[in-house]
Amino acid sequence: MDILKKTGRLLTVQIIRRKWWIIGVAVLLVLLSLFFSQRIIIRTQLKDLLPESNRRVQSYTRITELFTTSSIILSFEGDDRAEIIQAARDTREYIENDPGIAAFITAIQLELPDDFIEHWGLYMQKSDDIRRSRSLFSRLNLLPFLRALNDNFESSYTGDSAEEEILTNQDEGEMVGIMSNMERAMLLLRDYLENPDTASSAKKAEELAAIFAIGDTYSFDAEGSMLLMTLVPSFSISDYDSLLSMMPEFRRVFHEIRRRHPGLRIGYTGDLTREFDEQAALSFDLLVPGLIALLLILILFVFSFQQVRAVLLALVSLLVGIILDVGIIGVTLGELNILTTSFAVILIGLGIDFAIHLVSNFTDFRSRGMPEEEALAETFRKAGVSVLIGGITTAIAFFMLMFSDSRAISQFGFIAGCGILTCLASTLILLPALLLAFGARQQRASRRYIIDYSFLGSLGRFCQKQRIPVLAAVVIITAICAFSAAGNRVEYNIENLTVTDSPSSITEDRIREGFNLSPQASMTTAASIEEARSLSEALKQEFLVARVASVADFIPSPVESRQRLKELSLFRNNPPSYQQEYRYDHARLEDLVYEIQRLEWNMIEIGDLSVTNLGEENLILKKRNSMIREIFGAEVGRPGREVFQHLIESLESEQENSMRLLERLDADFAPAMLNLIRPMMQTERPMEIEDIPESYRLELISPEGGHFLVSIQPTKAVANEAEFMNFDRRMKEINPAITGTVQMAIDWTREMVTESRRASVYVFTAIMVLLLLTFRRVVPALISAVFLIISLIIMFGIFPLLGIRLNLMSVLALPMIIGMGIDYAVHIIHRYMLEGDIGTSMTWSGKAVLLSGVTTGFGFGSLALFGSMAAISSFGGALFIGVMVCLVLTITLLPAVSGFPGLLRRRQSQHNQELTT
Amino acid sequence: MKKRKILCAMLICASTLWAETALEIIRRVDERQHSATSEQKMLMRVYPSLASDTGVREFRISSVSRSDDESFMVFEEPRTIKGMKILSRGDDRWVHFPSTGRVRKIVGESKKQSVQGVGGDFSYEDLGGGTLEEDYRTRLLEESESFFIIEGIPVDSDSAYSRLVFEIEKESYRTLKIQYHTEKEGHLKDLFFRDYTVMGGKEIARSMEMINRHRERRTEVLILESRFDGPVDEKLFNPTRFYR
């Protein structure tokens, strides 16, 4: 302590002599820091935050090195399918020809290429399905085809010896696709019958044939109102420079596309755009909450101190401290992450504390008539030591985090620790120089309202006098909170912690609802196609897996391939045929009506059967209800589009006309069907990797051909906490190498919880040692320790009561509160041990402590209220609660403890000095 | 030589005694659970995930069974499939859809498949009739104070299972648990029988729970009402009349 006092005296002398020199050096350092700050980039990827030894990070890194896993997804929504497809095609053409964006895009996935379908359309089906296709396509005139179609449905799903069951989410998706095709076909037929002149029968016939022979080559949702297009970038998500260069071009192109198609809702999402949105949000969080906190602090200071100039100078010194820290980041780390972007607000809240004590004491001494230099010397004597100790303890708390294995936490500890030291240095060196150079020369009584903090002295005396009830109340509250703290839960789902109102997030939500997909894809690699196939098959059986994509979707096993080729050769030997000039009389019209009715029955019954396997909330049932009607057993519910009944009505309303139009259509329909099917029948060899469309090949196969990607998309059910964890567990059981956002989020959260606990122990130990050295007595150090423990119990007890869940950021509140909360206790205990009177101590130091706590609360509170990322705002919220709890206990519990004689007695040396004086 | 003959005779007697004991136990089990006919109302809940109730499907079903392989069931809930009827006779099944009024002959054969999807983790084989004595070759694995543990190897080579293990309460011959094993998956499922109650003049497990360990899902069946050995309407087992 003597060393510190001597240092304080020396510092005072130097500041008084060299104040202008100090200010000049500070300006220079600020300029240098601003220069180096330009090097800083913001990284938001989870994999950058976990230890590099983490297995899933290693797996993820390896996969992203081998494959282009990043993407941008465009969604096109509207009521008219043709308009949606046209808009998507326009967009594709525009992007391919725009020099600004084309350089960043390797491939665009909108539909399966026509030439691919032409060659491999039938081969892509399972051998059983090809066999059924032989009977389905044996007679291509419309009526016999529909009859065969119904027979096919009944033999597959609802009729004699039905073989298929709708068991998995993939089955569900495929059936919805089939039903969508039936709906399109019925709508097309009806449109043709009712508006025969809008397009030629040949065109309509071709479209109808394409629906039946090929199906839908686009990625529409179940309702057919949302189409997805994927842009495959030429760079990986780790290439920030390319990302930053691409996004402005992408935004320009996107706005142009929207301008061209005002009738459609067009959105974008994907990991690249999410990354960019998160960076923007973090940039916002870096600046805006800090500015708000500064403004609130300024307002509070204006009403707390006579000297406004001193307040402004305090804020200047704080800003200098923060800018110096930014410079250190620029020189050393060169980056910020999701955790460290909050450093500015934290430093505002914490760094101002030092200035508050200094300014508070300085202005008080000046108000008593002391000259500036004497006031400064007295300030250092009375408050300097505790400011220094408080700053060092807080810095130690942060530096302890550097021992973490997590790069994110380690960086956070370094940045925050350095920031505390730069703010401390700025406060102890620059601020006094500024006060001496620019502070008010004469004390003028202000006409402005100034908050009277003397109530703190009264409160302190009251608590000291009523120490037993106060202590009892604290014990009871602590006990309740200890019980409540057992209800703390950890949030693992990263989706709940990121930006929720960005354009990417909004589009993501719409895709989630439309396609029953979670955007949190997982992935792994396989060393062979067979391994990819085996993995895919296992994954498709999982309840929480919506889609699995791998090269196995294209290339079957050798055995299956032989069977398919065999079926195709049988197909060639018995090719489809049709009757030219197929006539429709009343009997055939009636038969056609019957087959359409039968088709409706099949759709209805497939819907019923889907309920038994998938429940009432499945997409097949929803599709059925919307395209036909809602059905409950023998009862009818809400009307649907009645696509089948309306077609039947159209057929029966003008029978003669219908017959004539059907003949005309059939004359083109059957040949169109044959033209589509004949090439597909000609496949005589197995598919090879080179046959896969390029965009899919790039996505699923590594450049050297030795690795095969298996991409897994979970259902939206993983938004539920239990299913989120269950998904991780099931993926691990199937293949421990499966990695992705879900897995890394869980690992990172677990990591943060572990590191938080570990850091807390380090911080607590370090602080206790420091307090013992400072107080040189066990009792005050012990009281501080108990104060801290009670604060933490109450803090963690409040969280469940307010419905707050811990997450990967808010768990860091624990070590931080240990480092910060102790400051308030140290100031009061230290002042009391000097003054010997709680009223005096609370009046003089209490004001500074209260202002310190409130301003820190402003800092964290602004993060909580204005942070755009949920993780950041929860971090601010947890810290806010912690700081407020520590503050309240400081001004109530400590005075109560001081009421027990002998616990916090004045130091003997101090006492002796006063006696001799 | 003489000693060898005596030893062989003793072994043969012992093995005969052992086989009889397992068989006798199984016969006692069959006696207590067998009925010529049964009528039941049940609640079935299928949990696609063991971890939570997400996606749980609930069905309220009335069923009538006679002989070993004839059963009729009708869905009362959920509302979408209310009135849907399923008739099973041997390996054949018919479904009546009230939504369309049609009767379709559905899945022809596979015993492994879940009971029209509804059964969740109960396959046709699991719910099939027949006696344990006829369907399995049995062996007593273990005997404690309270339980018999009996292994059953299916007689039918088409069975989905390689072996079953029955846990039977000694005092009452109630079946408490059955483990289902397959060649491929090993220990595949566990069926628990709980809450034995007298219903319709017979003591039955009111609650059954099948847990599929491989796929981590489960199905619960709660018997709400039960009647045994009463007269049943012949019409219910006629494919051309069961839906009327």
Side-chain angles (χ1 to χ4, degrees):
Chain A
M1 201 68 105
D2 291 334
I3 295 172
L4 291 173
K5 283 179 184 166
K6 279 179 189 167
T7 307
R9 279 197 288 274
L10 187 64
L11 197 60
T12 309
V13 167
Q14 293 302 318
I15 290 170
I16 292 167
R17 282 185 192 165
R18 300 175 201 278
K19 54 181 179 287
W20 293 107
W21 190 85
I22 291 168
I23 293 170
V25 168
V27 168
L28 185 64
L29 287 173
V30 163
L31 290 171
L32 272 174
S33 297
L34 289 171
F35 173 75
F36 285 116
S37 70
Q38 293 171 75
R39 297 180 65 227
I40 297 172
I41 57 171
I42 299 178
R43 293 180 181 272
T44 61
Q45 283 199 73
L46 278 176
K47 74 169 186 70
D48 294 330
L49 305 171
L50 280 162
E52 287 175 358
S53 58
N54 182 283
R55 198 172 159 188
R56 287 165 163 180
V57 168
Q58 289 175 342
S59 182
Y60 185 89
T61 305
R62 195 180 68 249
I63 292 172
T64 52
E65 283 167 2
L66 289 171
F67 300 93
T68 309
T69 55
S70 310
S71 63
I72 298 173
I73 299 171
L74 291 173
S75 68
F76 300 83
E77 287 181 80
D79 297 324
D80 188 286
R81 179 188 163 95
E83 189 185 351
I84 293 170
I85 291 174
Q86 190 54 46
R89 284 181 173 162
D90 282 347
T91 302
R92 179 174 58 186
E93 195 181 328
Y94 184 78
I95 290 174
E96 283 172 345
N97 293 310
D98 182 281
I101 189 76
F104 294 105
I105 305 296
T106 300
I108 299 176
Q109 292 175 1
L110 176 59
E111 57 185 319
L112 281 171
D114 288 341
D115 59 339
F116 177 78
I117 299 285
E118 195 177 291
H119 281 108
W120 303 103
L122 277 174
Y123 179 88
M124 289 276 287
Q125 293 180 10
K126 291 182 194 160
S127 53
D128 287 345
D129 292 332
I130 299 175
R131 177 172 47 79
R132 279 193 278 271
S133 293
R134 284 197 283 124
S135 55
L136 175 63
F137 295 121
S138 59
R139 293 181 62 195
L140 297 178
N141 297 100
L142 186 59
L143 174 57
F145 174 75
L146 283 178
R147 192 175 291 129
L149 182 65
N150 279 318
D151 293 341
N152 190 28
F153 274 125
E154 287 166 10
S155 70
S156 297
Y157 297 101
T158 69
D160 293 11
S161 305
E163 298 164 7
E164 301 279 337
E165 276 196 277
I166 303 164
L167 293 173
T168 67
N169 295 315
Q170 301 249 168
D171 295 336
E172 182 187 22
E174 283 166 16
M175 179 50 66
V176 169
I178 292 170
M179 292 170 87
S180 297
N181 289 335
M182 295 304 109
E183 181 181 24
R184 285 171 52 213
M186 298 301 110
L187 289 172
L188 192 151
L189 275 170
R190 182 181 163 204
D191 180 55
Y192 168 68
L193 290 170
E194 292 179 359
N195 306 292
D197 299 324
T198 51
S200 69
S201 64
K203 191 164 182 315
K204 288 288 186 189
E206 277 174 20
E207 282 178 40
L208 191 63
I211 291 172
F212 284 129
I214 296 171
D216 200 348
T217 54
Y218 293 94
S219 294
F220 270 95
D221 67 341
E223 284 308 307
S225 60
M226 187 195 300
L227 171 64
L228 299 182
M229 182 164 87
T230 303
L231 309 181
V232 181
S234 57
F235 57 92
S236 84
I237 199 169
S238 310
D239 187 348
Y240 284 90
D241 290 336
S242 295
L243 176 65
L244 292 174
S245 303
M246 186 206 74
M247 280 311 293
E249 296 295 332
F250 173 76
R251 285 235 167 97
R252 174 182 58 78
V253 165
F254 180 74
H255 287 305
E256 174 60 21
I257 292 163
R258 288 181 81 177
R259 190 191 64 77
R260 290 183 182 190
H261 301 279
L264 298 179
R265 185 191 180 111
I266 304 176
Y268 66 79
T269 186
D271 48 1
L272 282 183
T273 57
R274 267 204 314 274
E275 173 81 9
F276 193 79
D277 285 348
E278 283 169 6
Q279 285 194 6
L282 286 176
S283 300
F284 175 91
D285 287 349
L286 183 61
L287 194 61
V288 173
L291 288 175
I292 294 170
L294 268 177
L295 183 63
L296 290 170
I297 289 168
L298 181 62
I299 294 170
L300 177 64
F301 278 14
V302 163
F303 292 104
S304 299
F305 297 106
Q306 295 270 4
Q307 290 197 20
V308 176
R309 208 182 293 190
V311 165
L312 290 171
L313 292 172
L315 290 176
V316 166
S317 79
L318 174 65
L319 277 173
V320 167
I322 293 172
I323 292 170
L324 292 181
D325 193 29
V326 171
I328 292 173
I329 299 169
V331 168
T332 54
L333 300 173
E335 65 180 39
L336 292 170
N337 58 54
I338 186 173
L339 196 52
T340 54
T341 46
S342 58
F343 85 96
V345 173
I346 291 171
L347 287 181
I348 288 172
L350 294 176
I352 198 67
D353 293 357
F354 313 136
I356 288 169
H357 287 288
L358 211 76
V359 167
S360 179
N361 280 272
F362 181 77
T363 53
D364 285 339
F365 290 132
R366 286 285 285 138
S367 70
R368 291 187 214 177
M370 274 189 203
E372 286 174 336
E373 285 149 11
E374 196 181 327
L376 184 64
E378 198 60 14
T379 298
F380 273 121
R381 193 178 80 83
K382 285 283 171 78
V385 171
S386 52
V387 165
L388 189 64
I389 293 169
I392 291 172
T393 54
T394 308
I396 287 173
F398 285 123
F399 282 131
M400 284 293 141
L401 297 177
M402 289 180 65
F403 291 107
S404 166
D405 288 335
S406 162
R407 198 164 95 194
I409 297 176
S410 179
Q411 286 182 352
F412 179 78
F414 174 74
I415 290 171
C418 288
I420 292 293
L421 292 179
T422 54
C423 290
L424 185 63
S426 181
T427 300
L428 292 177
I429 301 172
L430 178 61
L431 179 57
L434 289 172
L435 287 170
L436 290 175
F438 302 109
R441 290 290 168 263
Q442 290 174 340
Q443 293 298 305
R444 281 191 289 270
S446 171
R447 276 181 277 177
R448 192 175 67 250
Y449 170 73
I450 301 295
I451 300 169
D452 182 4
Y453 290 89
S454 62
F455 74 92
L456 289 168
S458 309
L459 177 63
R461 284 188 208 96
F462 173 82
C463 290
Q464 190 184 57
K465 204 173 168 187
Q466 305 292 332
R467 57 188 172 276
I468 301 298
V470 168
L471 284 171
V474 169
V475 167
I476 290 168
I477 291 170
T478 306
I480 293 170
C481 288
F483 181 73
S484 161
N488 272 296
R489 294 285 174 265
V490 179
E491 172 71 76
Y492 287 94
N493 192 342
I494 197 82
E495 270 191 68
N496 297 335
L497 301 173
T498 58
V499 185
T500 54
D501 58 356
S502 68
S504 293
S505 303
I506 292 168
T507 302
E508 224 168 69
D509 287 342
R510 298 185 74 83
I511 292 174
R512 187 184 290 113
E513 287 309 312
F515 289 85
N516 186 25
L517 284 176
S518 165
Q520 301 192 69
S522 297
M523 50 194 167
T524 187
T525 55
S528 67
I529 298 176
E530 280 312 307
E531 189 186 337
R533 189 187 334 284
S534 168
L535 261 174
S536 293
E537 289 308 315
L539 289 164
K540 284 175 186 172
Q541 303 303 315
E542 291 297 312
F543 162 62
L544 291 171
V545 172
R547 276 190 201 172
V548 182
S550 77
V551 68
D553 297 339
F554 292 93
I555 298 181
S557 68
V559 168
E560 173 65 15
S561 180
R562 278 196 293 277
Q563 284 171 344
R564 293 184 190 184
L565 292 172
K566 184 182 167 191
E567 290 294 337
L568 287 170
S569 76
L570 291 171
F571 212 158
R572 286 193 295 276
N573 292 340
N574 200 6
S577 63
Y578 62 90
Q579 184 183 325
Q580 300 212 5
E581 294 182 13
Y582 192 85
R583 304 240 79 92
Y584 279 86
D585 54 21
H586 286 283
R588 279 192 174 162
L589 183 64
E590 203 176 309
D591 286 346
L592 185 72
V593 167
Y594 174 71
E595 291 304 328
I596 291 168
Q597 177 62 70
R598 198 176 151 209
L599 189 56
E600 184 189 66
W601 288 333
N602 279 322
M603 294 296 106
I604 290 171
E605 288 163 7
I606 285 171
D608 286 343
L609 291 173
S610 74
V611 172
T612 63
N613 274 323
L614 301 173
E616 280 191 305
E617 296 302 314
N618 77 77
L619 294 177
I620 296 169
L621 191 69
K622 285 181 182 167
K623 180 66 185 174
R624 179 194 84 173
N625 291 351
S626 70
M627 78 187 227
I628 303 174
R629 73 196 78 95
E630 208 175 33
I631 300 167
F632 301 110
E635 296 170 9
V636 173
R638 276 189 301 230
R641 290 191 285 275
E642 294 287 4
V643 297
F644 297 95
Q645 294 306 312
H646 286 144
L647 174 59
I648 291 172
E649 282 164 18
S650 296
L651 284 166
E652 290 181 332
S653 63
E654 291 179 33
Q655 291 192 11
E656 295 299 326
N657 192 40
S658 296
M659 290 187 287
R660 185 175 52 80
L661 288 171
L662 284 170
E663 282 174 7
R664 203 193 300 170
L665 182 74
D666 206 301
D668 294 312
F669 172 75
M673 286 283 275
L674 188 61
N675 284 341
L676 288 170
I677 294 163
R678 193 190 288 126
M680 289 195 273
M681 286 161 42
Q682 307 310 318
T683 309
E684 293 185 0
R685 64 167 178 84
M687 186 186 290
E688 289 167 8
I689 285 173
E690 292 71 34
D691 299 314
I692 299 173
E694 190 191 5
S695 62
Y696 294 94
R697 211 168 53 237
L698 288 172
E699 180 191 345
L700 299 170
I701 305 169
S702 62
E704 91 287 358
H707 296 87
F708 303 92
L709 182 72
V710 179
S711 169
I712 308 145
Q713 272 188 290
T715 67
K716 64 182 184 184
V718 296
N720 170 283
E721 170 82 22
E723 299 306 347
F724 185 82
M725 303 303 289
N726 193 30
F727 179 77
D728 174 53
R729 195 175 50 78
R730 289 297 297 158
M731 292 301 103
K732 209 183 288 186
E733 283 172 10
I734 291 171
N735 188 322
I738 291 176
T739 183
T741 320
V742 170
Q743 291 79 8
M744 289 196 291
I746 290 171
D747 277 1
W748 191 32
T749 304
R750 285 186 179 140
E751 183 90 18
M752 294 293 267
V753 170
T754 306
E755 292 298 330
S756 171
R757 280 192 203 132
R758 193 186 306 173
S760 302
V761 171
Y762 295 156
V763 170
F764 192 85
T765 307
I767 283 171
M768 285 301 112
V769 168
L770 202 64
L771 288 177
L772 279 169
L773 290 173
T774 305
F775 293 127
R776 285 187 283 175
R777 284 171 53 204
V778 173
V779 171
L782 207 59
I783 290 170
S784 305
V786 171
F787 162 86
L788 206 51
I789 291 167
I790 291 172
S791 304
L792 291 173
I793 291 172
I794 295 176
M795 179 176 98
F796 279 100
I798 290 174
F799 290 156
L801 295 174
L802 296 179
I804 295 172
R805 296 183 70 174
L806 296 171
N807 57 56
L808 47 81
M809 285 204 59
S810 62
V811 288
L812 275 186
L814 175 58
M816 287 179 64
I817 290 297
I818 292 174
M820 294 185 306
I822 198 66
D823 277 1
Y824 311 134
V826 165
H827 280 292
I828 297 298
I829 292 173
H830 183 257
R831 196 62 183 252
Y832 180 72
M833 287 169 69
L834 274 178
E835 303 286 351
D837 173 62
I838 194 65
T840 311
S841 305
M842 289 294 287
T843 302
W844 299 119
S845 284
K847 173 182 173 182
V849 164
L850 183 64
L851 283 172
S852 176
V854 170
T855 54
T856 305
F858 282 159
F860 297 145
S862 69
L863 263 186
L865 290 173
F866 302 106
S868 54
M869 287 189 74
I872 303 274
S873 61
S874 69
F875 182 49
L879 287 170
F880 175 81
I881 291 171
V883 163
M884 290 299 116
V885 166
C886 289
L887 189 61
V888 168
L889 286 175
T890 299
I891 59 177
T892 54
L893 176 62
L894 288 180
V897 167
S898 72
F900 292 93
L903 272 185
L904 290 173
R905 65 179 186 277
R906 296 169 76 178
R907 288 205 194 83
Q908 194 61 37
S909 58
Q910 179 75 15
H911 182 64
N912 290 344
Q913 194 176 355
E914 289 182 10
L915 280 178
T916 52
T917 305
Chain B
M1 186 63 182
K2 193 176 175 183
K3 279 186 185 172
R4 212 179 282 168
K5 282 184 182 171
I6 293 170
L7 188 61
C8 284
M10 282 172 68
L11 283 171
I12 289 165
C13 288
S15 66
T16 307
L17 205 62
W18 191 13
E20 276 182 355
T21 303
L23 194 58
E24 190 59 35
I25 295 164
I26 287 302
R27 278 180 182 153
R28 295 284 288 269
V29 173
D30 278 338
E31 268 170 30
R32 74 183 314 282
Q33 70 186 23
H34 180 71
S35 60
T37 66
S38 70
E39 289 179 55
Q40 289 183 326
K41 286 193 194 297
M42 66 183 85
L43 186 64
M44 182 181 286
R45 289 195 187 101
V46 181
Y47 296 83
S49 166
L50 280 180
S52 75
D53 291 351
T54 304
V56 65
R57 309 191 294 271
E58 191 172 286
F59 304 94
R60 202 172 281 264
I61 300 165
S62 294
S63 74
V64 180
S65 306
R66 76 171 183 191
S67 76
D68 294 339
D69 59 357
E70 288 183 301
S71 69
F72 165 87
M73 59 189 212
V74 59
F75 288 89
E76 291 168 11
E77 280 177 22
R79 198 175 161 204
T80 306
I81 53 174
K82 183 177 177 178
M84 192 159 94
K85 301 176 175 76
I86 302 176
L87 167 65
S88 299
R89 286 179 57 184
D91 290 335
D92 296 328
R93 266 159 280 284
W94 293 262
V95 176
H96 170 247
F97 294 93
S99 50
T100 60
R102 296 202 303 177
V103 175
R104 311 304 308 169
K105 193 175 173 190
I106 301 291
V107 177
E109 40 211 294
S110 178
K111 293 178 193 173
K112 296 178 200 179
Q113 285 174 319
S114 164
V115 177
Q116 216 37 59
V118 174
D121 301 291
F122 288 90
S123 68
Y124 281 105
E125 181 173 347
D126 298 335
L127 298 181
T131 61
L132 299 176
E133 181 182 350
E134 288 168 357
D135 292 342
Y136 303 98
R137 285 195 302 277
T138 52
R139 172 167 84 102
L140 181 66
L141 289 180
E142 194 183 317
E143 182 179 345
S144 70
E145 257 190 53
S146 320
F147 305 108
F148 295 115
I149 307 293
I150 290 179
E151 178 189 70
I153 308 292
V155 169
D156 185 353
S157 56
D158 283 341
S159 171
Y161 306 112
S162 59
R163 64 192 275 265
L164 273 66
V165 177
F166 301 86
E167 185 178 311
I168 295 162
E169 195 177 55
K170 238 179 173 172
E171 190 184 351
S172 60
Y173 293 92
R174 293 173 181 169
T175 307
L176 298 179
K177 180 179 164 185
I178 303 175
Q179 289 180 12
Y180 296 83
H181 294 255
T182 64
E183 291 288 351
K184 189 178 170 193
E185 286 101 2
H187 184 175
L188 177 64
K189 302 194 289 193
D190 288 318
L191 175 57
F192 296 90
F193 298 82
R194 300 188 181 104
D195 194 18
Y196 271 90
T197 316
V198 174
M199 271 191 176
K202 205 180 247 304
E203 193 187 37
I204 60 166
R206 205 161 157 260
S207 166
M208 291 184 283
E209 184 183 29
M210 179 76 89
I211 295 178
N212 187 319
R213 297 157 57 99
H214 179 64
R215 296 188 62 185
E216 297 207 359
R217 12 181 291 170
R218 64 190 177 99
T219 304
E220 283 177 359
V221 172
L222 189 64
I223 309 295
L224 303 174
E225 290 174 30
S226 221
R227 267 194 329 150
F228 298 95
D229 297 320
V232 293
D233 190 344
E234 283 293 324
K235 183 182 81 175
L236 296 179
F237 301 96
N238 186 324
T240 60
R241 297 174 62 201
F242 76 98
Y243 51 93
R244 291 183 194 167

